[in-house]
Amino acid sequence: MELFMSLAVGILFAVGVYLILSKSLLRIVLGTSLLTHGVHLLLLTMSRLKAGSAPLLGEGAERYTDPLPQALILTSIVISFGVTSLFFVLAYQAYKKLGTDDMEQLRGREHE
Amino acid sequence: MNNLVVLPLLFPLCTAIILFFFKEKVRIQRAAGAAGMGATLLACGLLLAQVLRSGTQTLNMGGWMPPYGIVFVADPFAALLAAAATLVSSFCLLYAFGTVGKERERFYFYPFFHLLLAGVNGSFLTGDLFNLFVCFEVMLISSYALLVLGGTKIQIRETIKYVLVNIISSTLFVAAVAYLYGVAGTLNMADLSVKVAAAGQGGILNVIAVFFLVVFSLKAGLFLFFWLPGSYSAPPMAVAALFGALLTKVGLYALVRTFTLVFPNDPAITHVWIGWMAGATMALGAAGALAYRNLLSVLNYNIVISIGFIAFGLSVSNRPALEGVVFYLLHDMAAKALLFLLAGLILQARGTDKAARLGGLIRSQPWIGWMFFTAALAIAGIPPLSGFGGKLLLVKGGLQGDSFVLTAISLASSLIVLYTLIRLFMDVFFGEAKEQPAAAAVPLRGHVVLAGALCAIVVLMGLGSEWIYQAASAAAGTLSDPSKYIEAVLKEPV
């Protein structure tokens, strides 16, 4: 199971990196969110995907899944959510004020 | 158990929350912001005094024993850096009064400022790797806001790049944490140190160590500094001073912490990598500083050079080099902030940063001129000033550690620092202005006095090197011997 998850994470990373290297700002934002998806799945995978009950003591199970990475992922999800929404608004402002979403045109000081 | 440890994080956080309620009342924002900063400074000072007197202080959050809960650790290194960071940011805060403009002040400038300080102090004081990530994010998200606040074209453009680079490095940080958790099964730094040492740090752990090196290098601007010169020339100078003095230093702190505490066991691989990255950083930063003639670019590349300098000390990692790292970090925070504040005053006086249009400023602003001269000498490391002690220790460590090439690069880069800053001084303050600038205002007397106070601190840090050295030596003592840190954190409850 870990092998398949690792492959999926690898694919997400590859697609994310490809999108980040493109010219259009929106594709870059999408690339960053694919990267964060990949890294959250990686965090889940690295804590071993052994079968066990959900980490609720009321379940009264023999064994539970590891609760720590789930808390880490939850934290990381809200952080990346906040940053992604900031990035989207920034892209919108760039479109309104600079009139372009092409990263090639967003460089240098000579356009001032 | 000592609740004082968390106050340098808690005070700015509470101040920021209170300030959110006074959006339109700029005077209240300033007064309450300054009061909160004063309280933070007091807490940092008390914490530092306590740590230097009676050793490393820890606080187990919620009473959970480490490694199960989050622990805050104030060893001498962290306490010193938190105190220095708070002191420097209090100067930046006072400089921001009257320079950032009413528009920015009314749109939550001060709350973001305090949240940034909360993130910085939290990063210094935390003893947990994931909590370090969260504190980094608190700091970074505030820095995004401070960078873009005002919304000029250049700010928006540079913020996009800065945000993108930091999203990628934060993603890599989480990936590195995931791998390390998968191998070691813990996130508490002291516990990690024990487990990594027990596993011998071969193979996979070295790969993870290099992963962390890449992550923190992106944050600190060590070799991967391509984002730094552009981003730091966009915001208003009060913010640029804060960034230049603090943000990269937090990345460096994280590098020093991980490679002295968690991954010190295989220096033949990790520390050699750090060494070459440091050498390249110094050389490339020197090339950049030589290439430009405008104020901000030269200062930004000087930040890069000093990052390389500190990382060179980390790569050697013997006792004098670590003392030098601590000493030079403290000096560099104060001196870089001073240099940026002076650059801000120059911009106010002339309204441009192109050296060709400046010139002859010494006639109208002699104080700013001679303070700039002092700061330049301090950063180059001329003996009575603050940069000398740290550089001396670093060079001594480099020679003792037989890394002659890096020592030579560091000395040559000091020479280039001196050359570029004095060239800037001559360009800006002597000769005649080639063309008269269009817009110019006289800098406020209060801001000149403020820069004078910071300049006095830089000079006193040099004159009082003996005391700073004692503190730096205590900090290097815990850095070079991880068992002290581990013992302080993982000790049995009393």
Side-chain angles (χ1 to χ4, degrees), chain A residues 25 28 32 35 39 42-43 46 48 66 68 72 75 79 83 86-87 90 94 97-98 106-109 112, chain B residues 130 133 137 141 144 148 151 153-154 156-157 159-161 164 167 171 174-175 178-179 181-182 187 294:
Chain A
L25 192 51
I28 290 174
T32 59
L35 266 193
V39 86
L42 180 73
L43 205 45
M46 288 310 289
R48 311 288 187 277
D66 189 350
L68 185 66
L72 301 186
T75 313
I79 290 176
V83 175
L86 176 88
F87 206 4
L90 207 57
K97 284 215 168 169
L98 307 173
L106 286 177
R107 64 173 159 190
R109 300 183 105 195
E112 288 303 306
Chain B
F130 198 77
F133 164 73
E137 289 300 308
I141 293 172
Y144 304 154
V148 80
K153 283 184 178 177
I154 177 170
I156 289 176
R157 200 177 60 210
T159 309
I160 285 174
K161 297 169 197 169
L164 178 60
I167 288 178
T171 311
V174 180
Y179 288 131
Y181 181 71
L187 289 172
N294 63 343

Side-chain angles (χ1 to χ4, degrees), chain B residues 99-226:
Chain B
T99 59
V100 292
K102 279 275 191 295
E103 271 311 300
R104 287 195 176 90
E105 286 178 296
R106 279 179 44 234
F107 280 92
Y108 305 111
F109 177 83
Y110 297 116
F112 287 130
F113 194 102
H114 281 88
L115 282 176
L116 185 112
L117 183 63
V120 169
N121 279 345
S123 305
F124 286 146
L125 292 171
T126 187
D128 180 281
L129 212 49
F130 198 77
N131 197 234
L132 178 67
F133 164 73
V134 175
C135 288
F136 259 109
E137 289 300 308
V138 170
M139 172 185 92
L140 288 172
I141 293 172
S142 329
S143 75
Y144 304 154
L146 286 176
L147 190 56
V148 80
L149 197 63
T152 60
K153 283 184 178 177
I154 177 170
Q155 278 180 308
I156 289 176
R157 200 177 60 210
E158 295 304 332
T159 309
I160 285 174
K161 297 169 197 169
Y162 181 75
V163 170
L164 178 60
V165 168
N166 279 305
I167 288 178
I168 293 170
S169 67
S170 297
T171 311
L172 292 179
F173 195 169
V174 180
V177 166
Y179 288 131
L180 193 54
Y181 181 71
V183 174
T186 178
L187 289 172
N188 179 288
M189 289 196 219
D191 198 27
L192 271 175
S193 175
V194 175
K195 294 213 161 111
V196 170
Q201 202 192 329
I204 185 74
L205 279 168
N206 266 333
V207 175
I208 296 171
V210 172
F211 215 139
F212 273 105
L213 177 60
V214 172
V215 170
F216 292 139
S217 301
L218 264 171
K219 312 260 189 207
L222 173 65
F223 188 59
L224 306 168
F225 63 82
F226 51 87

Side-chain angles (χ1 to χ4, degrees), chain B residues 415-432:
Chain B
L415 207 59
I416 291 172
V417 166
L418 184 65
Y419 171 69
T420 54
L421 289 178
I422 294 298
R423 187 180 66 179
L424 205 57
F425 173 68
M426 300 299 283
D427 279 350
V428 172
F429 289 98
F430 288 97
E432 295 293 330

